[in-house]
């Protein structure tokens, strides 16, 4: 079975998590700060 999600680094502290096998092809953005992180859809 292929992986459901891919993770790509798009900046030093920023990642995009993509769900290409989901029917909506979802994308999440993970932003890592010095004290906290933010996960956005």
């Amino acid at each position: 079975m292929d992986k459901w999600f891919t993770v790509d680094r798009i900046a030093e502290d920023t990642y995009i998590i993509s769900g290409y096998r989901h029917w909506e092809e979802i994308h999440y953005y993970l932003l890592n700060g010095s004290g906290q992180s933010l996960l956005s859809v």
Side-chain angles (χ1 to χ4, degrees):
M1 176 186 240
D2 293 331
K3 293 182 181 180
W4 275 85
F5 296 95
T6 61
V7 179
D8 295 299
R9 186 176 183 181
I10 57 175
E12 184 177 343
D13 292 326
T14 306
Y15 297 84
I16 184 169
I17 304 164
S18 301
Y20 292 110
R21 294 196 56 197
H22 189 277
W23 66 277
E24 291 181 319
E25 292 188 6
I26 54 177
H27 302 282
Y28 301 99
Y29 295 89
L30 177 61
L31 309 162
N32 292 315
S34 60
Q36 296 180 342
S37 294
L38 172 71
L39 181 64
S40 175
V41 177

